[in-house]
Amino acid sequence: MNILLSLEQAINRQRWLRPLIDSAMLVLYIGLMHFSLIGGHVHKGLAGAVGALFVVHVLLNWRFVYNLRQGEWNRFRLYILTVDVLLIVAMVITFVSAKGAGSHAFFNPVMPLSLKIHQAAAWWALLIMGWHLGIHGKMFARFLPESEGARNRAKIVLYLAAIGGLFMAGELQLGQRLWGLFDFRAAKPETAIMFYGGCLLLVIFNAVMSYLVLQILQRRRDDAGTKPAKPRNRAERRRLDRAAEKRAKREAQAAEKEQS
């Protein structure tokens, strides 16, 4: 625990280091997605680097795991936990299935099941990674210019990139890749700019959508904290009415004492 606390304090002293770790993990992960372009050795090296950064990222967010049993559960907190769990599951499946999707699978005329699972899990992890980055949107927003005009221009660029992500989903045949049905061994290889640019735009689209969903849940949570509780039945309504009468009586007595 002391080691994790010391690591977290050291990282937090450098505000740019945590976003740098997340960005580096994303860039390396996108880089290893095109096996035919980079080759097996580079693919394995980038996968090892991504795995190490992923472990560091989990260790830096140990407080979230430590505090799961504390506090009140709501849709806002449940959403964050769901995205995190799905990302961990997708990453674990991707790394575990990599052993079965070895180089021998590329000489098999029929794409093996292990390679299909590896491909599907890798693409699901990429999309969920975008949703996870959207959760940390405020952390990245700190590096935007402080002027309102510059921030609005940055938002416009992000929204346009998100729209581009929808277009690239069709160009990259995302549906087939997500279900492991895309045989990239027989398909015509995409250019590096189109493939990597498309992956980045897909991540931006999911990050923007995640950030908007998070803002809606945050607003609902804040509104729920300011609005009075609604009774679920007659007994609870009577209890709330009696509590309100007692509170009003105490306030009236306090006001009389002040006047006297």
Side-chain angles (χ1 to χ4, degrees), residues 59-101:
L59 292 177
L60 289 177
N61 293 275
W62 65 274
R63 286 184 182 273
F64 178 78
V65 180
Y66 184 76
N67 295 326
L68 283 178
R69 295 184 178 181
Q70 302 178 4
E72 180 183 358
W73 281 95
N74 48 42
R75 294 179 181 178
F76 177 83
R77 193 178 180 190
L78 184 61
Y79 169 77
I80 297 177
L81 178 62
T82 302
V83 173
D84 290 345
V85 171
L86 290 177
L87 179 58
I88 293 175
V89 170
M91 292 290 286
V92 170
I93 295 177
T94 301
F95 278 94
V96 171
S97 60
K99 185 176 181 180

mmCIF file of all heavy atoms in Angstrom, residues 59-101:
data_model
loop_
_atom_site.group_PDB
_atom_site.id
_atom_site.type_symbol
_atom_site.label_atom_id
_atom_site.label_comp_id
_atom_site.label_asym_id
_atom_site.label_seq_id
_atom_site.Cartn_x
_atom_site.Cartn_y
_atom_site.Cartn_z
ATOM 1 N N LEU A 59 -2.339 0.315 -11.517
ATOM 2 C CA LEU A 59 -1.735 0.636 -10.216
ATOM 3 C C LEU A 59 -1.941 2.102 -9.854
ATOM 4 O O LEU A 59 -2.139 2.431 -8.682
ATOM 5 C CB LEU A 59 -0.240 0.308 -10.244
ATOM 6 C CG LEU A 59 0.125 -1.179 -10.342
ATOM 7 C CD1 LEU A 59 1.628 -1.346 -10.436
ATOM 8 C CD2 LEU A 59 -0.433 -1.956 -9.149
ATOM 9 N N LEU A 60 -1.916 2.987 -10.850
ATOM 10 C CA LEU A 60 -2.114 4.406 -10.575
ATOM 11 C C LEU A 60 -3.553 4.711 -10.165
ATOM 12 O O LEU A 60 -3.811 5.752 -9.551
ATOM 13 C CB LEU A 60 -1.748 5.235 -11.808
ATOM 14 C CG LEU A 60 -0.264 5.308 -12.154
ATOM 15 C CD1 LEU A 60 -0.062 6.109 -13.434
ATOM 16 C CD2 LEU A 60 0.516 5.929 -11.012
ATOM 17 N N ASN A 61 -4.482 3.823 -10.509
ATOM 18 C CA ASN A 61 -5.890 4.028 -10.162
ATOM 19 C C ASN A 61 -6.336 3.037 -9.089
ATOM 20 O O ASN A 61 -7.493 2.626 -9.053
ATOM 21 C CB ASN A 61 -6.763 3.884 -11.411
ATOM 22 C CG ASN A 61 -6.532 4.991 -12.417
ATOM 23 O OD1 ASN A 61 -7.113 6.065 -12.347
ATOM 24 N ND2 ASN A 61 -5.645 4.731 -13.379
ATOM 25 N N TRP A 62 -5.416 2.689 -8.201
ATOM 26 C CA TRP A 62 -5.722 1.708 -7.160
ATOM 27 C C TRP A 62 -6.753 2.242 -6.171
ATOM 28 O O TRP A 62 -7.474 1.468 -5.547
ATOM 29 C CB TRP A 62 -4.446 1.327 -6.409
ATOM 30 C CG TRP A 62 -3.834 2.460 -5.639
ATOM 31 C CD1 TRP A 62 -2.962 3.389 -6.106
ATOM 32 C CD2 TRP A 62 -4.063 2.784 -4.255
ATOM 33 N NE1 TRP A 62 -2.619 4.285 -5.121
ATOM 34 C CE2 TRP A 62 -3.280 3.934 -3.976
ATOM 35 C CE3 TRP A 62 -4.838 2.227 -3.247
ATOM 36 C CZ2 TRP A 62 -3.259 4.527 -2.720
ATOM 37 C CZ3 TRP A 62 -4.813 2.822 -1.994
ATOM 38 C CH2 TRP A 62 -4.034 3.952 -1.744
ATOM 39 N N ARG A 63 -6.852 3.557 -6.015
ATOM 40 C CA ARG A 63 -7.820 4.116 -5.066
ATOM 41 C C ARG A 63 -9.257 3.781 -5.464
ATOM 42 O O ARG A 63 -10.113 3.561 -4.608
ATOM 43 C CB ARG A 63 -7.653 5.635 -4.974
ATOM 44 C CG ARG A 63 -6.421 6.093 -4.204
ATOM 45 C CD ARG A 63 -6.388 7.601 -4.075
ATOM 46 N NE ARG A 63 -5.201 8.037 -3.376
ATOM 47 C CZ ARG A 63 -5.114 8.128 -2.049
ATOM 48 N NH1 ARG A 63 -6.155 7.803 -1.309
ATOM 49 N NH2 ARG A 63 -4.004 8.550 -1.478
ATOM 50 N N PHE A 64 -9.521 3.754 -6.772
ATOM 51 C CA PHE A 64 -10.876 3.431 -7.224
ATOM 52 C C PHE A 64 -11.246 2.012 -6.820
ATOM 53 O O PHE A 64 -12.364 1.755 -6.351
ATOM 54 C CB PHE A 64 -10.961 3.602 -8.741
ATOM 55 C CG PHE A 64 -12.300 3.248 -9.315
ATOM 56 C CD1 PHE A 64 -13.361 4.115 -9.214
ATOM 57 C CD2 PHE A 64 -12.494 2.029 -9.957
ATOM 58 C CE1 PHE A 64 -14.609 3.781 -9.732
ATOM 59 C CE2 PHE A 64 -13.722 1.697 -10.482
ATOM 60 C CZ PHE A 64 -14.785 2.573 -10.371
ATOM 61 N N VAL A 65 -10.321 1.079 -6.990
ATOM 62 C CA VAL A 65 -10.582 -0.305 -6.603
ATOM 63 C C VAL A 65 -10.692 -0.418 -5.088
ATOM 64 O O VAL A 65 -11.549 -1.128 -4.556
ATOM 65 C CB VAL A 65 -9.475 -1.230 -7.136
ATOM 66 C CG1 VAL A 65 -9.729 -2.679 -6.737
ATOM 67 C CG2 VAL A 65 -9.375 -1.113 -8.658
ATOM 68 N N TYR A 66 -9.834 0.312 -4.368
ATOM 69 C CA TYR A 66 -9.811 0.245 -2.908
ATOM 70 C C TYR A 66 -11.098 0.792 -2.297
ATOM 71 O O TYR A 66 -11.545 0.327 -1.240
ATOM 72 C CB TYR A 66 -8.609 1.024 -2.390
ATOM 73 C CG TYR A 66 -8.425 0.963 -0.898
ATOM 74 C CD1 TYR A 66 -7.908 -0.173 -0.280
ATOM 75 C CD2 TYR A 66 -8.772 2.050 -0.097
ATOM 76 C CE1 TYR A 66 -7.745 -0.234 1.093
ATOM 77 C CE2 TYR A 66 -8.619 2.002 1.274
ATOM 78 C CZ TYR A 66 -8.097 0.854 1.875
ATOM 79 O OH TYR A 66 -7.943 0.806 3.229
ATOM 80 N N ASN A 67 -11.720 1.768 -2.967
ATOM 81 C CA ASN A 67 -12.903 2.433 -2.423
ATOM 82 C C ASN A 67 -14.211 1.892 -2.987
ATOM 83 O O ASN A 67 -15.257 2.540 -2.864
ATOM 84 C CB ASN A 67 -12.834 3.942 -2.706
ATOM 85 C CG ASN A 67 -11.677 4.611 -1.993
ATOM 86 O OD1 ASN A 67 -11.305 4.216 -0.886
ATOM 87 N ND2 ASN A 67 -11.096 5.625 -2.620
ATOM 88 N N LEU A 68 -14.168 0.706 -3.617
ATOM 89 C CA LEU A 68 -15.393 0.167 -4.203
ATOM 90 C C LEU A 68 -16.464 -0.107 -3.153
ATOM 91 O O LEU A 68 -17.663 0.017 -3.423
ATOM 92 C CB LEU A 68 -15.079 -1.133 -4.962
ATOM 93 C CG LEU A 68 -14.408 -0.959 -6.331
ATOM 94 C CD1 LEU A 68 -14.100 -2.312 -6.947
ATOM 95 C CD2 LEU A 68 -15.282 -0.142 -7.270
ATOM 96 N N ARG A 69 -16.064 -0.501 -1.952
ATOM 97 C CA ARG A 69 -17.038 -0.812 -0.911
ATOM 98 C C ARG A 69 -17.520 0.416 -0.160
ATOM 99 O O ARG A 69 -18.392 0.310 0.704
ATOM 100 C CB ARG A 69 -16.429 -1.802 0.091
ATOM 101 C CG ARG A 69 -16.103 -3.166 -0.513
ATOM 102 C CD ARG A 69 -15.611 -4.114 0.562
ATOM 103 N NE ARG A 69 -15.333 -5.444 0.025
ATOM 104 C CZ ARG A 69 -14.909 -6.475 0.750
ATOM 105 N NH1 ARG A 69 -14.716 -6.319 2.062
ATOM 106 N NH2 ARG A 69 -14.666 -7.633 0.187
ATOM 107 N N GLN A 70 -16.973 1.552 -0.453
ATOM 108 C CA GLN A 70 -17.338 2.768 0.255
ATOM 109 C C GLN A 70 -18.172 3.665 -0.646
ATOM 110 O O GLN A 70 -18.091 3.606 -1.865
ATOM 111 C CB GLN A 70 -16.078 3.512 0.712
ATOM 112 C CG GLN A 70 -15.170 2.685 1.614
ATOM 113 C CD GLN A 70 -13.921 3.430 1.997
ATOM 114 O OE1 GLN A 70 -13.749 4.594 1.658
ATOM 115 N NE2 GLN A 70 -13.018 2.760 2.710
ATOM 116 N N GLY A 71 -18.969 4.507 -0.012
ATOM 117 C CA GLY A 71 -19.777 5.451 -0.757
ATOM 118 C C GLY A 71 -21.063 4.853 -1.294
ATOM 119 O O GLY A 71 -21.300 3.645 -1.220
ATOM 120 N N GLU A 72 -21.889 5.719 -1.840
ATOM 121 C CA GLU A 72 -23.191 5.311 -2.368
ATOM 122 C C GLU A 72 -23.076 4.979 -3.848
ATOM 123 O O GLU A 72 -22.424 5.684 -4.621
ATOM 124 C CB GLU A 72 -24.200 6.451 -2.184
ATOM 125 C CG GLU A 72 -25.595 6.134 -2.699
ATOM 126 C CD GLU A 72 -26.538 7.305 -2.552
ATOM 127 O OE1 GLU A 72 -26.101 8.339 -2.018
ATOM 128 O OE2 GLU A 72 -27.695 7.175 -2.984
ATOM 129 N N TRP A 73 -23.708 3.869 -4.260
ATOM 130 C CA TRP A 73 -23.682 3.463 -5.655
ATOM 131 C C TRP A 73 -24.791 4.163 -6.432
ATOM 132 O O TRP A 73 -25.918 4.260 -5.964
ATOM 133 C CB TRP A 73 -23.833 1.948 -5.770
ATOM 134 C CG TRP A 73 -22.561 1.231 -5.486
ATOM 135 C CD1 TRP A 73 -22.159 0.697 -4.297
ATOM 136 C CD2 TRP A 73 -21.497 0.999 -6.403
ATOM 137 N NE1 TRP A 73 -20.914 0.137 -4.414
ATOM 138 C CE2 TRP A 73 -20.483 0.303 -5.702
ATOM 139 C CE3 TRP A 73 -21.299 1.305 -7.746
ATOM 140 C CZ2 TRP A 73 -19.295 -0.078 -6.304
ATOM 141 C CZ3 TRP A 73 -20.117 0.909 -8.347
ATOM 142 C CH2 TRP A 73 -19.132 0.229 -7.622
ATOM 143 N N ASN A 74 -24.468 4.669 -7.600
ATOM 144 C CA ASN A 74 -25.428 5.314 -8.480
ATOM 145 C C ASN A 74 -25.046 5.000 -9.924
ATOM 146 O O ASN A 74 -24.072 4.287 -10.192
ATOM 147 C CB ASN A 74 -25.455 6.832 -8.237
ATOM 148 C CG ASN A 74 -24.051 7.423 -8.200
ATOM 149 O OD1 ASN A 74 -23.204 7.067 -9.010
ATOM 150 N ND2 ASN A 74 -23.799 8.316 -7.246
ATOM 151 N N ARG A 75 -25.823 5.523 -10.867
ATOM 152 C CA ARG A 75 -25.568 5.226 -12.272
ATOM 153 C C ARG A 75 -24.227 5.779 -12.726
ATOM 154 O O ARG A 75 -23.552 5.168 -13.559
ATOM 155 C CB ARG A 75 -26.690 5.829 -13.128
ATOM 156 C CG ARG A 75 -28.049 5.186 -12.887
ATOM 157 C CD ARG A 75 -29.109 5.859 -13.744
ATOM 158 N NE ARG A 75 -30.420 5.267 -13.511
ATOM 159 C CZ ARG A 75 -31.533 5.689 -14.089
ATOM 160 N NH1 ARG A 75 -31.486 6.710 -14.937
ATOM 161 N NH2 ARG A 75 -32.683 5.112 -13.824
ATOM 162 N N PHE A 76 -23.832 6.914 -12.183
ATOM 163 C CA PHE A 76 -22.558 7.533 -12.537
ATOM 164 C C PHE A 76 -21.393 6.612 -12.174
ATOM 165 O O PHE A 76 -20.521 6.326 -13.003
ATOM 166 C CB PHE A 76 -22.435 8.875 -11.803
ATOM 167 C CG PHE A 76 -21.136 9.586 -12.018
ATOM 168 C CD1 PHE A 76 -20.949 10.370 -13.140
ATOM 169 C CD2 PHE A 76 -20.104 9.483 -11.100
ATOM 170 C CE1 PHE A 76 -19.743 11.043 -13.354
ATOM 171 C CE2 PHE A 76 -18.911 10.144 -11.296
ATOM 172 C CZ PHE A 76 -18.735 10.916 -12.424
ATOM 173 N N ARG A 77 -21.393 6.129 -10.966
ATOM 174 C CA ARG A 77 -20.310 5.265 -10.507
ATOM 175 C C ARG A 77 -20.382 3.885 -11.157
ATOM 176 O O ARG A 77 -19.353 3.288 -11.486
ATOM 177 C CB ARG A 77 -20.391 5.140 -8.986
ATOM 178 C CG ARG A 77 -19.165 4.538 -8.332
ATOM 179 C CD ARG A 77 -19.333 4.508 -6.838
ATOM 180 N NE ARG A 77 -18.187 3.930 -6.186
ATOM 181 C CZ ARG A 77 -18.156 3.610 -4.898
ATOM 182 N NH1 ARG A 77 -19.237 3.822 -4.139
ATOM 183 N NH2 ARG A 77 -17.080 3.086 -4.363
ATOM 184 N N LEU A 78 -21.596 3.378 -11.369
ATOM 185 C CA LEU A 78 -21.758 2.077 -12.005
ATOM 186 C C LEU A 78 -21.284 2.107 -13.453
ATOM 187 O O LEU A 78 -20.710 1.132 -13.948
ATOM 188 C CB LEU A 78 -23.223 1.648 -11.941
ATOM 189 C CG LEU A 78 -23.553 0.252 -12.478
ATOM 190 C CD1 LEU A 78 -22.808 -0.817 -11.682
ATOM 191 C CD2 LEU A 78 -25.061 -0.001 -12.423
ATOM 192 N N TYR A 79 -21.488 3.217 -14.135
ATOM 193 C CA TYR A 79 -21.032 3.352 -15.516
ATOM 194 C C TYR A 79 -19.506 3.257 -15.590
ATOM 195 O O TYR A 79 -18.951 2.544 -16.439
ATOM 196 C CB TYR A 79 -21.506 4.687 -16.086
ATOM 197 C CG TYR A 79 -20.883 5.043 -17.414
ATOM 198 C CD1 TYR A 79 -21.320 4.437 -18.584
ATOM 199 C CD2 TYR A 79 -19.859 5.979 -17.486
ATOM 200 C CE1 TYR A 79 -20.748 4.759 -19.798
ATOM 201 C CE2 TYR A 79 -19.283 6.306 -18.703
ATOM 202 C CZ TYR A 79 -19.732 5.695 -19.849
ATOM 203 O OH TYR A 79 -19.156 6.011 -21.049
ATOM 204 N N ILE A 80 -18.820 3.970 -14.703
ATOM 205 C CA ILE A 80 -17.357 3.945 -14.699
ATOM 206 C C ILE A 80 -16.847 2.538 -14.414
ATOM 207 O O ILE A 80 -15.923 2.045 -15.082
ATOM 208 C CB ILE A 80 -16.822 4.949 -13.660
ATOM 209 C CG1 ILE A 80 -17.230 6.375 -14.040
ATOM 210 C CG2 ILE A 80 -15.300 4.840 -13.550
ATOM 211 C CD1 ILE A 80 -16.810 7.416 -13.026
ATOM 212 N N LEU A 81 -17.450 1.878 -13.433
ATOM 213 C CA LEU A 81 -17.014 0.521 -13.086
ATOM 214 C C LEU A 81 -17.252 -0.446 -14.245
ATOM 215 O O LEU A 81 -16.401 -1.302 -14.540
ATOM 216 C CB LEU A 81 -17.755 0.040 -11.835
ATOM 217 C CG LEU A 81 -17.432 -1.387 -11.373
ATOM 218 C CD1 LEU A 81 -15.965 -1.511 -11.004
ATOM 219 C CD2 LEU A 81 -18.323 -1.780 -10.203
ATOM 220 N N THR A 82 -18.389 -0.318 -14.932
ATOM 221 C CA THR A 82 -18.700 -1.208 -16.047
ATOM 222 C C THR A 82 -17.680 -1.065 -17.173
ATOM 223 O O THR A 82 -17.189 -2.064 -17.717
ATOM 224 C CB THR A 82 -20.111 -0.923 -16.579
ATOM 225 O OG1 THR A 82 -21.069 -1.086 -15.517
ATOM 226 C CG2 THR A 82 -20.456 -1.853 -17.727
ATOM 227 N N VAL A 83 -17.348 0.174 -17.529
ATOM 228 C CA VAL A 83 -16.367 0.400 -18.592
ATOM 229 C C VAL A 83 -15.009 -0.164 -18.192
ATOM 230 O O VAL A 83 -14.320 -0.808 -19.002
ATOM 231 C CB VAL A 83 -16.264 1.909 -18.907
ATOM 232 C CG1 VAL A 83 -15.123 2.172 -19.884
ATOM 233 C CG2 VAL A 83 -17.579 2.415 -19.491
ATOM 234 N N ASP A 84 -14.604 0.060 -16.944
ATOM 235 C CA ASP A 84 -13.299 -0.436 -16.494
ATOM 236 C C ASP A 84 -13.240 -1.966 -16.516
ATOM 237 O O ASP A 84 -12.242 -2.559 -16.957
ATOM 238 C CB ASP A 84 -13.005 0.074 -15.077
ATOM 239 C CG ASP A 84 -12.741 1.565 -15.052
ATOM 240 O OD1 ASP A 84 -12.503 2.136 -16.129
ATOM 241 O OD2 ASP A 84 -12.765 2.171 -13.957
ATOM 242 N N VAL A 85 -14.302 -2.607 -16.042
ATOM 243 C CA VAL A 85 -14.322 -4.072 -16.013
ATOM 244 C C VAL A 85 -14.305 -4.635 -17.431
ATOM 245 O O VAL A 85 -13.567 -5.603 -17.725
ATOM 246 C CB VAL A 85 -15.544 -4.577 -15.229
ATOM 247 C CG1 VAL A 85 -15.704 -6.088 -15.386
ATOM 248 C CG2 VAL A 85 -15.420 -4.224 -13.753
ATOM 249 N N LEU A 86 -15.083 -4.054 -18.326
ATOM 250 C CA LEU A 86 -15.108 -4.532 -19.709
ATOM 251 C C LEU A 86 -13.747 -4.363 -20.378
ATOM 252 O O LEU A 86 -13.306 -5.231 -21.152
ATOM 253 C CB LEU A 86 -16.174 -3.778 -20.503
ATOM 254 C CG LEU A 86 -17.632 -4.098 -20.156
ATOM 255 C CD1 LEU A 86 -18.578 -3.219 -20.968
ATOM 256 C CD2 LEU A 86 -17.944 -5.562 -20.409
ATOM 257 N N LEU A 87 -13.061 -3.262 -20.081
ATOM 258 C CA LEU A 87 -11.743 -3.047 -20.664
ATOM 259 C C LEU A 87 -10.743 -4.085 -20.159
ATOM 260 O O LEU A 87 -9.950 -4.641 -20.941
ATOM 261 C CB LEU A 87 -11.251 -1.638 -20.347
ATOM 262 C CG LEU A 87 -9.857 -1.278 -20.882
ATOM 263 C CD1 LEU A 87 -9.803 -1.442 -22.399
ATOM 264 C CD2 LEU A 87 -9.482 0.146 -20.481
ATOM 265 N N ILE A 88 -10.783 -4.367 -18.866
ATOM 266 C CA ILE A 88 -9.870 -5.369 -18.302
ATOM 267 C C ILE A 88 -10.148 -6.739 -18.902
ATOM 268 O O ILE A 88 -9.222 -7.471 -19.284
ATOM 269 C CB ILE A 88 -9.998 -5.401 -16.768
ATOM 270 C CG1 ILE A 88 -9.475 -4.091 -16.172
ATOM 271 C CG2 ILE A 88 -9.230 -6.584 -16.187
ATOM 272 C CD1 ILE A 88 -9.676 -3.990 -14.678
ATOM 273 N N VAL A 89 -11.425 -7.103 -19.033
ATOM 274 C CA VAL A 89 -11.790 -8.406 -19.593
ATOM 275 C C VAL A 89 -11.319 -8.514 -21.043
ATOM 276 O O VAL A 89 -10.737 -9.533 -21.462
ATOM 277 C CB VAL A 89 -13.308 -8.630 -19.494
ATOM 278 C CG1 VAL A 89 -13.722 -9.868 -20.280
ATOM 279 C CG2 VAL A 89 -13.732 -8.763 -18.038
ATOM 280 N N ALA A 90 -11.559 -7.452 -21.832
ATOM 281 C CA ALA A 90 -11.148 -7.475 -23.239
ATOM 282 C C ALA A 90 -9.633 -7.566 -23.376
ATOM 283 O O ALA A 90 -9.118 -8.300 -24.237
ATOM 284 C CB ALA A 90 -11.669 -6.230 -23.959
ATOM 285 N N MET A 91 -8.904 -6.842 -22.527
ATOM 286 C CA MET A 91 -7.442 -6.881 -22.598
ATOM 287 C C MET A 91 -6.909 -8.261 -22.202
ATOM 288 O O MET A 91 -5.985 -8.787 -22.839
ATOM 289 C CB MET A 91 -6.857 -5.806 -21.699
ATOM 290 C CG MET A 91 -7.114 -4.382 -22.180
ATOM 291 S SD MET A 91 -6.206 -3.956 -23.674
ATOM 292 C CE MET A 91 -4.550 -3.773 -23.030
ATOM 293 N N VAL A 92 -7.495 -8.846 -21.169
ATOM 294 C CA VAL A 92 -7.046 -10.174 -20.727
ATOM 295 C C VAL A 92 -7.297 -11.212 -21.818
ATOM 296 O O VAL A 92 -6.424 -12.046 -22.121
ATOM 297 C CB VAL A 92 -7.748 -10.564 -19.415
ATOM 298 C CG1 VAL A 92 -7.484 -12.027 -19.077
ATOM 299 C CG2 VAL A 92 -7.275 -9.679 -18.269
ATOM 300 N N ILE A 93 -8.491 -11.180 -22.424
ATOM 301 C CA ILE A 93 -8.795 -12.131 -23.497
ATOM 302 C C ILE A 93 -7.849 -11.924 -24.674
ATOM 303 O O ILE A 93 -7.388 -12.899 -25.302
ATOM 304 C CB ILE A 93 -10.264 -11.982 -23.941
ATOM 305 C CG1 ILE A 93 -11.211 -12.367 -22.802
ATOM 306 C CG2 ILE A 93 -10.538 -12.845 -25.172
ATOM 307 C CD1 ILE A 93 -12.668 -12.171 -23.134
ATOM 308 N N THR A 94 -7.536 -10.673 -24.987
ATOM 309 C CA THR A 94 -6.625 -10.397 -26.096
ATOM 310 C C THR A 94 -5.251 -11.011 -25.858
ATOM 311 O O THR A 94 -4.677 -11.656 -26.743
ATOM 312 C CB THR A 94 -6.492 -8.878 -26.300
ATOM 313 O OG1 THR A 94 -7.781 -8.315 -26.566
ATOM 314 C CG2 THR A 94 -5.576 -8.577 -27.472
ATOM 315 N N PHE A 95 -4.719 -10.829 -24.649
ATOM 316 C CA PHE A 95 -3.377 -11.343 -24.359
ATOM 317 C C PHE A 95 -3.384 -12.867 -24.222
ATOM 318 O O PHE A 95 -2.435 -13.537 -24.652
ATOM 319 C CB PHE A 95 -2.842 -10.703 -23.075
ATOM 320 C CG PHE A 95 -2.252 -9.340 -23.295
ATOM 321 C CD1 PHE A 95 -3.020 -8.198 -23.123
ATOM 322 C CD2 PHE A 95 -0.932 -9.195 -23.678
ATOM 323 C CE1 PHE A 95 -2.490 -6.940 -23.327
ATOM 324 C CE2 PHE A 95 -0.381 -7.942 -23.893
ATOM 325 C CZ PHE A 95 -1.164 -6.807 -23.722
ATOM 326 N N VAL A 96 -4.441 -13.436 -23.634
ATOM 327 C CA VAL A 96 -4.493 -14.891 -23.464
ATOM 328 C C VAL A 96 -4.646 -15.587 -24.806
ATOM 329 O O VAL A 96 -4.009 -16.629 -25.068
ATOM 330 C CB VAL A 96 -5.644 -15.269 -22.513
ATOM 331 C CG1 VAL A 96 -5.852 -16.773 -22.490
ATOM 332 C CG2 VAL A 96 -5.357 -14.762 -21.102
ATOM 333 N N SER A 97 -5.473 -15.043 -25.692
ATOM 334 C CA SER A 97 -5.705 -15.672 -26.995
ATOM 335 C C SER A 97 -4.547 -15.474 -27.954
ATOM 336 O O SER A 97 -4.506 -16.094 -29.018
ATOM 337 C CB SER A 97 -6.985 -15.115 -27.624
ATOM 338 O OG SER A 97 -6.880 -13.708 -27.815
ATOM 339 N N ALA A 98 -3.598 -14.608 -27.600
ATOM 340 C CA ALA A 98 -2.467 -14.354 -28.506
ATOM 341 C C ALA A 98 -1.603 -15.589 -28.693
ATOM 342 O O ALA A 98 -1.010 -15.787 -29.754
ATOM 343 C CB ALA A 98 -1.627 -13.195 -27.961
ATOM 344 N N LYS A 99 -1.514 -16.429 -27.665
ATOM 345 C CA LYS A 99 -0.688 -17.633 -27.762
ATOM 346 C C LYS A 99 -1.248 -18.597 -28.803
ATOM 347 O O LYS A 99 -0.491 -19.193 -29.584
ATOM 348 C CB LYS A 99 -0.606 -18.317 -26.402
ATOM 349 C CG LYS A 99 0.338 -19.507 -26.370
ATOM 350 C CD LYS A 99 0.451 -20.088 -24.973
ATOM 351 C CE LYS A 99 1.430 -21.271 -24.971
ATOM 352 N NZ LYS A 99 1.560 -21.862 -23.606
ATOM 353 N N GLY A 100 -2.561 -18.753 -28.827
ATOM 354 C CA GLY A 100 -3.169 -19.642 -29.806
ATOM 355 C C GLY A 100 -3.168 -19.065 -31.208
ATOM 356 O O GLY A 100 -3.213 -19.801 -32.194
ATOM 357 N N ALA A 101 -3.132 -17.715 -31.304
ATOM 358 C CA ALA A 101 -3.125 -17.059 -32.615
ATOM 359 C C ALA A 101 -1.691 -16.813 -33.060
ATOM 360 O O ALA A 101 -1.314 -15.706 -33.444
ATOM 361 C CB ALA A 101 -3.900 -15.751 -32.551
#
